[in-house]
Amino acid sequence: MVSAATSPGSRGIFFSGTAGVGKSRLLSEGLAELPAHGCAVWSASANIATAGIPFGGLAQVLPADQPAGLSPAGIMRWAVDALHQQAAGRRIVIGIDDAHLLDPSSAALVYLIARSDNATVLGTLRSGEAVPLPIRALWTDDLVDHAELAPLTADDSNDLLTAMLGDPMDAPSADRLYRLSAGNALMLRELVIAAHASDELNRTYGVWRWTGRSQLPASLDELIDARIGQLDPGVRAVVELVAMGEPIGLTLLHRATDSSSVETAEERGLIRVDVHDRRSDVRLAHPLYGEVVRRRCPVTRARRLNAHLAELVERAGTRRRDDLLRVAVWRLDSGTAQDPALLLRAGGQAFSQFDVPLAARLARAALEAGGGYQAAELLATILMFGDQAEEAIRVLDSVADQISTDERRSRWLTVRGMVSYWGLDRESTVAEIAADAARLTDPADRARVVAFEAIMRLHRLECAEALRLSRSVLDRPAATVAARGLARCTIAHLQAARGELTLSGRAVDGVAAEAAQWRAEMPYLQLALELARGTRLALAGDLAGIDAIVAAEFADLADAGDFRLGSGYLSILRAQAARLRGQTGEALRTSLGACAVLATSRVFAGLAHAERAQAAAMRGDVDSAAEAMAESDRSQTSGMAVLYPWLEQARATVRAATGDLAGAVGTLRELVHRLQADGFAGHEILALHDLVRFGRADIEVGEPIVTGRRRTVAQRLTELSETVDGPLPALMARHARAEYGHSGDQLLAVAEDFAALDLNVFAAEATSRAVTRLRAARSTRSHEANLRLAGLLRHCDVLRTPALSARQPALTERERQIARLAARGLASRNIAEQLYISTRTVENHLQRVYNKLGVAGRGELWPALKAIPEQDSEPDA
């Protein structure tokens, strides 16, 4: 806006947008900047009260000493001359808020001002409103520019939420607020204020979470009222029906209401029609319209409308995928839900879409309507994933006397075992479920229970038994697709940990391909699938693969449906990928969000805090890292022992950040020993590489070999690179050999390959080591290495790791000061004058700096300084 007002060839700009999108704020901020640019600024705000008064819209701008007896045309000429006289040679800037409300005389005067010399017109317009012809002519005559302000993007909305609250908001809450506000800044602000006032915003681990659906504040209520306006009975019927049933098919809406009223509602911008292939769905134009309409609709009418919607869809036939679910909800909301079978099927469908609150509501209603054992089983399963394990056990025990078949007993045992083991952390569950499975006679029923026993044994590190049991399930032709899928996920997870990444990937892909066959029976199998897949991708360093699964449909469904274990685990994966890319700020924010989502969970909370600890440690925030690691230890349960490699790697990172490098190395050596004993070669690769990153490629690790000696880290990595799948083991082995051999050239080659995989942290650390080696050898490639390191660090956030700070040349404060000035291009004489020292002293200091940094002259100073910790800002051009 400042550029539009001050550029010689510009006469101004007008912004259009919906109410609350930020037009007025943008205008006022821009006008406030202009006096400093030598402009004479006047501002006016048009409104309805002045719309019928000649020149009323510009009353705040026009001088008070208006001559008497002038015609309207004379007044306009006088006004332009008066403004130029008051400007006294400065550029005239007129800012008009809500220019669509200007009276005709004021609009004509604005046009005349824009055509005069040395004048600029800035303004805002509300989208969808009639614009006075003189104002429209401003851009049709190419006098000013015209731009439409789009709603906030999801990222913009998140940034605004963080600015308002002071800390980030967890992804599901931020997404709900974004969808409700539809990217409107004013509406977003009012929603946050209302949530604060009603105590529906909770802050956990520095992350805000919205826990309810607050009442709209009066200011926002009035704004929406103004948008909706007065409705005649026909249009009101359309809006209310859409509010209760959106999205609703256009054909169905025409059948239920008057067609002309539907057209009027669309013309007034109250509803919109979305066309997909041959389907036309109708929604309200803004999500908050529905909030207001539903709240103001009388209870009796709302019930009647919901029942009417259910009858319409039932008569037409529930042909769409979600029709059954929608009918059940309408029946429930209308008080006409009498069929427990309908509620039960709908609850299962909601759970298969990972909408935990809705699934729980429908399952509870089915149980209360007489749904019996099946409703209790479904409700208990949903309660488990809603962190309500105690209630889940009570619900299951209440129907224990209804277990009349092996099929029911197998399902009851698996749900109760799942709740007891993961929900209540009872390790005795595994032995109990094994004993109960032996009493089942049907092969399919027994396979289901055995598949659950297998994955429990994997999580408590009884890997051989987990593998045996899983294979026994796959060997049973009678086993269901869901039972076989669970067994294959157990095997895939174990294969990934052992470094058999190709086999693990095939198993995961096979289970995913059969999702349509197991989703209805066992939707939570998706969680075992994601854990196996995520483990494989993380061990492979496949950041693109992680990006793909955290952007897939399940991630969106889990966030929107409050499926916390799913959204929490995927947030941990997202944080891991960000950390390895060097985006430590994003890693910390995302891991904090995972900690908040999993605050009441016994499953992944320990892993979430460990990831938070790593991110904080790599940013140099030692206190936060130590606190997070302690919280990880408190949150970790014995039932999730399979996660120990990630936790111990995090512990080593935290110890290194505190300066206890010896302790960090000791932790990793113990971890390597334990991983070798468990056969977790996939994890061992990463632990060994951490030792390389700490400069310990030469130390001995693991069990002695036949010669009685232990292998060095470099030797063990080379050995594993021949058996562990993927390109990463060989690359990490090369890194170890380059570090072991003190080869700067090889370290640069390794760094380039790490960078190609987007593993920027490893690339930067290897390059930093190369800089050190090449300086020591006085190699001509040291400047190239410095340039590469500077480029890598520009792709990273705050990054403080031992490899980036170890053995860096120490410059005195005076040397650092002179080097910075020289890097900016100042001559030695100018530096001497600025620092009140002699030119000879400057040259002597610079020579010592060149020797320490291994550079040939001033042209190489900047990248060399960038490679030293605390040199974070590029010198001025």
Side-chain angles (χ1 to χ4, degrees), residues 263-338:
E263 293 171 6
T264 301
E266 185 180 9
E267 287 172 357
R268 289 185 53 180
L270 300 173
I271 63 173
R272 73 173 194 270
V273 181
D274 297 330
V275 180
H276 302 285
D277 296 328
R278 291 178 296 173
R279 291 174 52 179
S280 298
D281 288 331
V282 182
R283 299 177 185 270
L284 292 177
H286 194 286
L288 287 179
Y289 290 1
E291 297 287 321
V292 172
V293 172
R294 287 189 291 269
R295 191 178 74 239
R296 294 188 175 179
C297 188
V299 173
T300 53
R301 185 156 74 233
R303 289 193 169 199
R304 176 176 58 79
L305 289 171
N306 279 306
H308 186 40
L309 284 165
E311 291 164 2
L312 285 169
V313 174
E314 285 171 339
R315 282 202 300 267
T318 52
R319 292 171 295 186
R320 295 185 181 185
R321 184 180 64 175
D322 292 335
D323 280 351
L324 173 70
L325 180 58
R326 287 151 57 80
V327 166
V329 173
W330 289 328
R331 287 294 182 196
L332 202 56
D333 289 342
S334 66
T336 59
Q338 300 174 345

Side-chain angles (χ1 to χ4, degrees), residues 741-763:
H742 306 290
S743 172
D745 291 330
Q746 291 178 25
L747 284 168
L748 277 184
V750 165
E752 186 174 355
D753 289 343
F754 275 133
L757 296 175
D758 218 10
L759 297 169
N760 294 331
V761 172
F762 299 162

Side-chain angles (χ1 to χ4, degrees), residues 421 453-463 465-467 489-494 497 531 639-643 680:
Y421 183 78
E453 180 191 349
I455 198 166
M456 289 177 188
R457 291 194 183 277
L458 170 66
H459 281 79
R460 57 185 286 174
L461 281 177
E462 297 175 11
C463 299
E465 184 65 3
L467 183 59
C489 284
T490 300
I491 294 172
H493 190 154
L494 188 55
L531 182 58
M640 295 298 293
V642 73
L643 300 178
F680 285 1

Side-chain angles (χ1 to χ4, degrees), residues 692-775:
V692 176
R693 294 170 59 212
F694 291 161
R696 297 295 188 272
D698 56 339
I699 65 172
E700 296 181 346
V701 291
E703 294 291 338
I705 54 179
V706 290
T707 61
R709 296 285 302 275
R710 292 180 173 84
R711 301 171 185 82
T712 65
V713 170
Q715 289 170 336
R716 178 60 177 162
L717 271 171
T718 299
E719 182 181 39
L720 288 175
S721 69
E722 297 172 359
T723 58
V724 176
D725 297 338
L728 196 58
L731 179 53
M732 289 179 168
R734 284 173 51 209
H735 188 188
R737 292 193 297 271
E739 180 65 34
Y740 186 81
H742 306 290
S743 172
D745 291 330
Q746 291 178 25
L747 284 168
L748 277 184
V750 165
E752 186 174 355
D753 289 343
F754 275 133
L757 296 175
D758 218 10
L759 297 169
N760 294 331
V761 172
F762 299 162
E765 289 177 336
T767 306
S768 178
R769 292 284 192 179
V771 168
T772 301
R773 303 302 185 199
L774 293 170
R775 279 180 187 153

Side-chain angles (χ1 to χ4, degrees), residues 24 122 153 432 635 766:
S24 299
L122 308 174
T153 65
E432 293 166 2
S635 304

